[in-house]
């Protein structure tokens, strides 16, 4: 049923259907021809293309059978599993890291107070801060997307919370722990370091938790752990934040099925190891073989400069060939000439390279 041919498919994104875990696109045949289908390469959302670990599925199903009961408000089993995985840190949980970000802002920021964001980056920080009535200031990165620590410190001097993403979405670059530490020691407020992609790079920011009482490390089960649909996020937080966060959060920060599946995902280290190994191997290949310049990346995606075309044009043309990528035009502070491409399964990235290199 599925055809793997690369070219000749138009209007793909308009008519898709799902089967056996894949998305297929239909093309109405021209007069006299039948309908053709092709499997869509989903490289737009930085998901893990692999299904969840069987252990996550098993524990999630078991929890579903007892879903008549409320979950534990403190998420004690998940917190214990996180402590077992990472060590004796303090954790809070939320509905995706998005949920954690929203609750952290609600906990720490009053309307009219300031939130600083290192841009270009993930747009949700500013959206969540504005929804809370905060005054958002953008701190632009350097032209190579590295963080200028002194301008960050200046921009964050009145901020209750500042957001810094590393590896950064969508640029992919990593800010060193030394630079993060310099910022932590020089700002009066809290630094939320978004580590959604940290499993895919070789940098570990956890040791900074021990030395700094103003650091939050945001993490998610949506990327390396294959649980995007279940919406499980968490954060390493300083001890003083735990009870304030719990007061600001809804009584149950997660549902019992998601929490149990996350415990299963933590228990299958092989799944994460395989995922990370595949991402590093294919990431290197995509960067090397793409005919447009691709930026170095510590994440499960790469940003590509498609000048002189715009990101939107290239994303549209790729979609006509069954390859979905993200145009970066909607990221404030970034020019119009970039796309972001997830590292998917091997066939997906091969298809991306075949198509983009012949556009
Ligand atoms: C994907 C992502 C998140 C969180 O995703 P959730 O699915 O809400 O856990 C957070 N920050 C960045 C930069 C991301 O790309």
């Amino acid at each position: 049923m599925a055809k793997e041919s690369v070219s000749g498919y138009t209007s793909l994104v308009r008519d898709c259907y799902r089967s056996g875990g894949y998305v297929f696109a239909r093309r109405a045949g021209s007069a006299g021809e039948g309908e053709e289908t092709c499997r869509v390469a989903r490289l737009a959302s930085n998901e893990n293309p692999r299904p969840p670990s069987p252990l996550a599925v098993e524990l999630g199903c078991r929890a579903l059978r007892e879903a008549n009961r409320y979950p534990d408000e403190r998420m004690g089993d998940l917190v214990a599993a996180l402590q077992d995985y990472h060590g004796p840190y303090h954790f809070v949980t939320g509905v995706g890291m998005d949920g954690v970000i929203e609750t952290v802002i609600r906990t720490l920021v009053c309307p009219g107070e300031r939130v600083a964001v290192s841009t270009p980056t993930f747009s949700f920080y500013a959206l969540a801060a504005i929804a809370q009535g905060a005054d958002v200031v953008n701190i632009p990165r350097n032209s190579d997307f590295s963080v200028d620590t002194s301008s960050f410190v200046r921009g964050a001097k009145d901020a209750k919370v500042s957001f810094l993403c590393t590896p950064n979405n969508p640029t992919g670059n990593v800010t060193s722990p030394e630079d993060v530490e310099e910022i932590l020691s020089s700002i009066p407020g809290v630094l939320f370091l978004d580590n959604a992609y940290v499993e895919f790079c070789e940098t570990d920011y956890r040791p900074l938790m021990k030395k700094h009482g103003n650091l939050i490390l945001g993490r998610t089960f949506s990327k390396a752990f294959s649980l995007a649909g279940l919406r499980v996020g968490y954060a390493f937080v300083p001890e003083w934040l735990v009870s304030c966060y719990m007061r600001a959060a809804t009584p149950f920060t997660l549902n019992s099925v998601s929490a149990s599946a996350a415990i299963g995902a933590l228990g299958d280290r092989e799944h994460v190891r395989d995922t990370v190994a595949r991402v590093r191997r294919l990431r290197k290949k995509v960067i090397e073989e793409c005919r447009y310049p691709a930026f170095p990346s510590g994440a499960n995606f790469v940003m590509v400069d498609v000048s002189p075309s715009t990101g939107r044009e290239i994303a549209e043309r790729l979609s006509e060939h069954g390859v979905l990528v993200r145009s970066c035009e909607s990221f404030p502070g970034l020019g119009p000439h970039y796309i972001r491409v997830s590292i998917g399964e091997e066939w997906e990235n091969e298809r991306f390279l075949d198509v983009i290199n012949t556009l």
Side-chain angles (χ1 to χ4, degrees):
M1 176 77 170
K3 290 204 181 152
E4 292 300 320
S5 90
V6 165
S7 56
Y9 293 91
T10 54
S11 310
L12 273 176
V13 274
R14 260 172 273 158
D15 188 15
C16 292
Y17 66 98
R18 280 165 194 269
S19 170
Y22 292 106
V23 170
F24 293 87
R26 248 189 275 273
R27 177 180 81 142
S30 45
E33 283 173 31
E35 196 171 67
E36 292 184 80
T37 62
C38 97
R39 208 154 103 188
V40 174
R42 301 173 69 177
L43 305 177
S45 303
N46 304 338
E47 296 149 336
N48 192 330
R50 303 271 162 93
S53 151
L55 192 54
V57 174
E58 188 192 322
L59 296 198
C61 289
R62 208 182 290 168
L64 185 55
R65 284 190 215 107
E66 298 169 14
N68 53 310
R69 301 295 177 190
Y70 279 113
D72 166 22
E73 286 185 38
R74 306 199 68 83
M75 291 292 140
D77 291 346
L78 177 54
V79 168
L82 288 168
Q83 286 168 339
D84 188 45
Y85 191 89
H86 291 294
Y89 297 93
H90 299 280
F91 294 101
V92 296
T93 57
V95 177
M97 197 204 302
D98 292 351
V100 175
I101 291 166
E102 212 248 351
T103 305
V104 163
I105 294 174
R106 185 141 31 88
T107 307
L108 297 177
V109 184
C110 294
E113 290 185 327
R114 183 158 287 186
V115 168
V117 180
S118 170
T119 57
T121 195
F122 192 54
S123 358
F124 187 71
Y125 317 128
L127 296 175
I130 289 165
Q132 217 52 53
D135 169 25
V136 177
V137 287
N138 291 329
I139 313 171
R141 289 168 174 255
N142 297 322
S143 57
D144 64 355
F145 308 117
S146 61
V147 173
D148 180 62
T149 52
S150 48
S151 77
F152 192 102
V153 169
R154 267 197 311 282
K157 73 177 181 353
D158 302 318
K160 293 294 284 282
V161 184
S162 309
F163 286 90
L164 176 57
C165 187
T166 175
N168 187 39
N169 181 2
T171 58
N173 63 304
V174 173
T175 302
S176 72
E178 293 72 30
D179 284 354
V180 172
E181 182 145 38
E182 196 181 318
I183 289 168
L184 282 170
S185 341
S186 321
I187 59 171
V190 167
L191 180 69
F192 189 106
L193 199 70
D194 183 331
N195 276 178
Y197 300 99
V198 79
E199 289 87 358
F200 304 107
C201 74
E202 273 152 24
T203 310
D204 188 355
Y205 300 92
R206 293 174 295 188
L208 297 175
M209 288 305 302
K210 302 228 161 77
K211 288 196 270 172
H212 298 274
N214 60 340
L215 176 62
I216 300 175
L217 292 182
R219 295 278 194 119
T220 180
F221 282 89
S222 298
K223 313 282 163 50
F225 291 88
S226 291
L227 292 179
L230 287 187
R231 316 299 307 119
V232 190
Y234 65 101
F236 295 69
V237 293
E239 188 175 6
W240 61 265
L241 187 63
V242 177
S243 59
C244 330
Y245 181 99
M246 295 303 273
R247 277 198 298 276
T250 52
F252 303 100
T253 53
L254 281 176
N255 70 67
S256 52
V257 175
S258 295
S260 300
I263 293 170
L266 286 172
D268 187 351
R269 300 196 181 206
E270 199 61 29
H271 178 91
V272 183
R273 257 202 303 276
D274 286 353
T275 292
V276 170
R278 169 178 48 80
V279 164
R280 290 196 182 152
R281 178 169 51 82
L282 292 176
R283 183 173 69 193
K284 183 163 177 283
K285 190 166 196 286
V286 168
I287 291 172
E288 281 170 6
E289 295 184 15
C290 184
R291 81 178 170 100
Y292 292 100
F295 290 83
S297 171
N300 66 342
F301 58 83
V302 295
M303 190 170 80
V304 178
D305 181 348
V306 294
S307 307
S309 301
T310 64
R312 187 183 326 199
E313 283 163 3
I314 296 293
E316 248 167 49
R317 297 193 56 197
L318 286 165
S319 83
E320 290 165 5
H321 297 272
V323 180
L324 304 184
V325 303
R326 172 81 190 262
S327 160
C328 294
E329 279 174 282
S330 60
F331 286 94
L334 194 63
H337 303 291
Y338 302 98
I339 57 170
R340 192 192 65 196
V341 186
S342 308
I343 304 304
E345 289 286 14
E346 189 136 14
W347 70 268
E348 296 180 291
N349 289 107
E350 289 297 332
R351 168 102 61 88
F352 164 75
L353 287 169
D354 284 351
V355 176
I356 197 154
N357 288 342
T358 52
L359 278 185

